[in-house]
Amino acid sequence: MCLAIPGKLIEISNDANGVRMGKANFGGIVKEICLEYTPEVNMGDYVLVHVGFALSKVDEEQAARTYNALKEMQQLDELNVPEVPS
Amino acid sequence: MKYLDEYRDEGLAKKIVSEIERIVTRPWVLMEVCGGQTHTIVKYGIDHLLPPQVELVHGPGCPVCVTSLEMIDKAHAIARRPDVIFCSFGDMLRVPGSESDLLVLKSRGADIRVVYSPIDCLKIARANPDKKVVFFAIGFETTAPSNAMSVWQAKKQGVKNFSVLVSHVLVPPSIASILQSPLNRVQGFIGPGHVCTVMGYREYEPIAERYKVPIVITGFEPIDILEGALMTIRQLEAGTFEVENQYPRVVNREGNRIARELVNKVFEVCDRKWRGVGSIPKSGYKLRYEFRDHDAERIFDVKEIATREPDICISGLVLKGVKKPHDCPAFGKQCTPEHPLGATMVSAEGACAAYYAYGRHLEARPAVEAA
Ligand code: SF4
């Protein structure tokens, strides 16, 4: 659970409480993520996400490499945890 | 080399390994700090790939493994309460406490939920105003910003029925404590890349200086770890002890400033007990006083619990890099991922579980290295 997973940012929005949120696509699985720590990221950017929080930006090539490495190591289970409906 | 063909970039891996072979002149003991790195090392047999002079020992960087038994038992006591919805990362469910684990409590009717992110607990809290929603906030510095934001938002938004049971641990004091131990054999560190994504690596500089050990902040992919090992060995051979960054594509010296600032607003440093290791001064985070209304330990006031750890389990020594899973008489016998006796057998990042997952319990026990 200490590894961060790269995903592509496909949506940016503020939630009802003004928290900067977004959606990231991780190899087909889309998750809601918090973007408060990465104000610099834009739509289409790749971000490194740890337990639902984007921690840094990564480039696309790096994101693909890291994603594949995690997949190979079967370290993507946490993405299968269902989302809590808002 | 039996493992090399598993690398996507076999040529590069080969090159790094032969460079290590070329420069190494004497035995060295390196520790990888992060449990994700341990997993990679065992899966790709990196420890077998390196020349025999280089020994890798596995560090304490599995947050699931080092959460103290007292804290696990406290979590269980809180989770059992009928007025509580207890939320946790999935890995914590099977960690054995003195009596049982969260999965067993769940099967007995406790409302225990696995969440992807701590911030999801705020939604659960809003949807269940008559319940107390508690999140088990464990982890290293990588997880601290997420937990800090959840508490920060709960306070700001007035989500009064949300609290966190905090058992945060910090990497730098734990490696300093390893270096201070009279049993220490570690001469250089393959440092934790994702922890440093948040924190940067300034705090490692005084440790490298004081204990004269090279620390190379490293990613977790196989090539990263080989390169991190090469950089560490290069320094050891040259007699230098700097903090170097193998992982600049993700990590910089400052880390994520915004995240660090919020972590400091919500948490303060405290002494923390590590499972199997004992108390390490200033090695954890607790909530600051201003956030006491979201502090599960205060709200539920769980009294100290008498804990019981199986005698046979040596996970404390495994976490300190003094022993390997093979040295444990229960490894792969009484203790397996289906019936874990210690926390290092539960999480995929624990050394015992990684060794088991890749069939090391079937291999002959390696000759005991001279201590
Ligand atoms: S194999 Fe099991 S009993 Fe032995 S040290 Fe590891 S977790 Fe403990």
Side-chain angles (χ1 to χ4, degrees), chain B residues 27-254:
Chain B
W28 297 113
V29 178
L30 316 186
M31 174 179 270
E32 86 279 359
V33 172
C34 157
Q37 294 169 332
T38 303
H39 189 108
T40 306
I41 287 167
V42 181
K43 170 158 169 92
Y44 291 91
I46 292 176
D47 48 344
H48 292 338
L49 216 56
L50 293 172
Q53 297 99 312
V54 180
E55 187 191 345
L56 290 180
V57 295
H58 314 308
C62 160
V64 175
C65 307
V66 301
T67 303
S68 75
L69 189 53
E70 283 82 352
M71 214 32 114
I72 305 276
D73 286 350
K74 263 184 203 176
H76 293 179
I78 295 171
R80 267 197 294 258
R81 295 173 55 117
D83 57 339
V84 162
I85 298 176
F86 193 84
C87 304
S88 166
F89 294 129
D91 323 31
M92 293 306 284
L93 259 58
R94 298 189 52 249
V95 176
S98 295
E99 299 290 329
S100 60
D101 59 47
L102 288 170
L103 212 57
V104 169
L105 296 181
K106 190 173 158 77
S107 71
R108 291 189 195 141
D111 193 345
I112 295 169
R113 304 190 190 176
V114 171
V115 290
Y116 164 60
S117 171
I119 208 148
D120 287 344
C121 301
L122 296 186
K123 293 184 200 161
I124 298 176
R126 269 192 223 100
N128 296 275
D130 52 332
K131 294 271 187 173
K132 293 174 177 149
V133 175
V134 182
F135 180 66
F136 201 178
I138 65 142
F140 280 96
E141 291 91 326
T142 331
T143 323
S146 319
N147 290 337
M149 183 63 80
S150 314
V151 174
W152 179 262
Q153 289 298 336
K155 185 172 157 88
K156 196 171 145 197
Q157 299 171 24
V159 187
K160 295 209 163 63
N161 61 332
F162 171 71
S163 63
V164 285
L165 179 63
V166 180
S167 188
H168 262 290
V169 280
L170 302 172
V171 170
S174 78
I175 65 177
S177 121
I178 287 168
L179 290 166
Q180 277 159 20
S181 158
L183 295 173
N184 175 51
R185 302 166 56 225
V186 178
Q187 294 160 299
F189 286 93
I190 293 176
H194 286 170
V195 162
C196 295
T197 307
V198 173
M199 302 303 285
Y201 52 82
R202 294 167 81 122
E203 352 168 51
Y204 295 81
E205 290 164 0
I207 298 176
E209 174 76 35
R210 168 150 183 220
Y211 298 97
K212 307 209 173 339
V213 287
I215 301 174
V216 178
I217 308 306
T218 302
F220 67 91
E221 293 165 43
I223 295 288
D224 291 329
I225 292 178
L226 282 172
E227 199 176 45
L230 170 62
M231 289 166 75
T232 315
I233 294 164
R234 232 184 233 145
Q235 283 207 51
L236 286 167
E237 289 287 344
T240 58
F241 37 86
E242 319 259 307
V243 176
E244 274 186 288
N245 186 7
Q246 180 277 332
Y247 204 33
R249 59 188 198 271
V250 175
V251 173
N252 63 58
R253 185 162 178 264
E254 301 304 319

Side-chain angles (χ1 to χ4, degrees), chain A residues 1-6 15 17-21 26 31-34 36-40 48-59 62 64-70 72-75 78-86, chain B residues 6 8 34 36 39-40 43-44 61 63-64 89 91 114-120 123-124 126 138-140 142-143 145-146 148-150 153 156-157 194-195 197-198 220-224 247 249-250 256 258-259 262 348-349 358:
Chain A
M1 58 152 286
C2 232
L3 296 175
I5 303 172
D15 77 1
N17 297 291
V19 183
R20 190 169 189 251
M21 301 292 288
F26 303 90
K31 288 261 169 208
E32 188 175 43
I33 60 168
C34 176
E36 284 284 319
Y37 294 131
T38 48
E40 75 280 14
L48 210 49
V49 177
H50 180 60
V51 297
F53 285 74
L55 294 178
S56 66
K57 203 172 136 173
V58 283
D59 69 42
Q62 164 61 19
R65 225 182 90 176
T66 306
Y67 185 86
N68 289 332
L70 287 166
E72 233 166 65
M73 288 192 281
Q74 287 140 30
Q75 292 279 302
E78 63 184 69
L79 291 179
N80 296 320
V81 174
E83 239 159 55
V84 178
S86 14
Chain B
E6 288 196 18
R8 256 170 292 135
C34 157
H39 189 108
T40 306
K43 170 158 169 92
Y44 291 91
V64 175
F89 294 129
D91 323 31
V114 171
V115 290
Y116 164 60
S117 171
I119 208 148
D120 287 344
K123 293 184 200 161
I124 298 176
R126 269 192 223 100
I138 65 142
F140 280 96
T142 331
T143 323
S146 319
M149 183 63 80
S150 314
Q153 289 298 336
K156 196 171 145 197
Q157 299 171 24
H194 286 170
V195 162
T197 307
V198 173
F220 67 91
E221 293 165 43
I223 295 288
D224 291 329
Y247 204 33
R249 59 188 198 271
V250 175
N256 183 321
I258 308 171
L262 196 82
E349 292 160 19
Y358 299 111

Side-chain angles (χ1 to χ4, degrees), chain B residues 312-316 318 325 328-332 335-336 340-345 352:
Chain B
I312 200 168
C313 177
I314 57 162
S315 61
V318 173
C328 171
F331 174 61
C335 183
T336 61
L341 293 180
T344 41
M345 187 54 100
C352 298

